[in-house]
Amino acid sequence: MYPYIRTALALVVHRPRPGITPGEPMVLRTRCWPWDADPFLELNNGRHLTLFDIGRFALGARMGLFRLLRKRGWGLVVGSSATQYRKRIRLFERFEIVTRLVARDEKWLYFEQITRKAGTACSAAFVRTAVVAGPKGTVPTQEVADALGYPDWYGTLPDWARDLEAADRRRPWPPELTPYGSPDTPSGSSGQAQVSSSASQ
């Protein structure tokens, strides 16, 4: 189940705090509870993404974005995310989520997020989101920036983020089924060889 209560508490705590401008990091402190942990008693990889959600919501509250969404009847959607996992966060350990709006283009808002324990980075995510107006589709980020009072802010994507975006644009959509594992492919080494050959091209 999605942690609605935890999300609401984060919004209640961070909404009254001083505002944050685009590009400025925000820190959300939390703990790895039993319902966050996997069978190895550490923060589950999927739970990282859910907690990154809460970090972006809290940042949105500090930036005035959530107030704007409610006023206009807009919503938020994730277009893509790329996550690195490097250090374990074990059961009951305290950690923090650092969230920063890095940049925007005509359509997307780009966020960088890090989990950090005792000053050491544990995981990191690069997330692309869009503001949507229901069936009307995506709201241009210029309209969002104007409403928030930062019409001239665009930020700058680092080189590695630009590479991720370029790779995402090259990735086919809808996804193409690979021969290996499909119902029409015989099991055994021949199917695996097809995938290996394709991957090396």
Side-chain angles (χ1 to χ4, degrees):
M1 181 177 176
Y2 195 84
Y4 292 104
I5 295 176
R6 197 172 188 174
T7 302
L9 287 174
L11 294 177
V12 167
V13 168
H14 283 272
R15 187 181 291 120
R17 293 186 178 182
I20 284 182
T21 59
E24 184 180 357
M26 189 220 69
V27 177
L28 174 66
R29 294 177 174 85
T30 187
R31 187 186 295 272
C32 179
W33 297 108
W35 43 88
D36 300 323
D38 60 21
F40 302 104
L41 302 182
E42 61 190 53
L43 186 64
N44 174 261
N45 64 292
R47 199 62 161 183
H48 277 261
L49 300 180
T50 301
L51 294 175
F52 282 142
D53 273 357
I54 298 176
R56 293 194 304 277
F57 293 156
L59 178 67
R62 296 279 294 275
M63 289 181 59
L65 178 59
F66 259 52
R67 184 167 57 250
L68 177 64
L69 296 179
R70 289 198 309 272
K71 180 180 179 181
R72 302 283 179 93
W74 292 343
L76 287 171
V77 295
V78 172
S80 64
S81 63
T83 310
Q84 297 172 306
Y85 302 95
R86 293 295 183 268
K87 302 269 183 197
R88 294 181 176 90
I89 298 175
R90 300 190 183 277
L91 184 64
F92 297 121
E93 285 186 327
R94 293 192 63 84
F95 63 99
E96 57 189 20
I97 302 166
V98 184
T99 303
R100 183 168 70 97
L101 175 60
V102 178
R104 72 175 177 93
D105 58 22
E106 292 78 8
K107 180 178 180 180
W108 300 104
L109 302 172
Y110 298 93
F111 293 86
E112 184 179 13
Q113 298 187 269
I114 301 169
T115 59
R116 196 165 58 189
K117 179 180 68 174
T120 300
C122 300
S123 67
F126 177 67
V127 184
R128 179 177 64 177
T129 72
V131 177
V132 293
K136 296 180 180 178
T138 304
V139 178
T141 62
Q142 187 62 58
E143 185 175 348
V144 179
D146 289 344
L148 290 175
Y150 303 101
D152 299 323
W153 183 86
Y154 284 89
T156 303
L157 286 179
D159 290 341
W160 60 264
R162 293 180 183 276
D163 291 342
L164 281 174
E165 284 303 293
D168 189 73
R169 286 191 295 270
R170 291 194 301 270
R171 186 176 178 180
W173 187 266
E176 298 174 354
L177 290 176
T178 57
Y180 180 70
S182 66
D184 298 330
T185 303
S187 60
S189 60
S190 60
Q192 180 64 57
Q194 285 182 281
V195 172
S196 299
S197 174
S198 173
S200 64
Q201 293 177 357

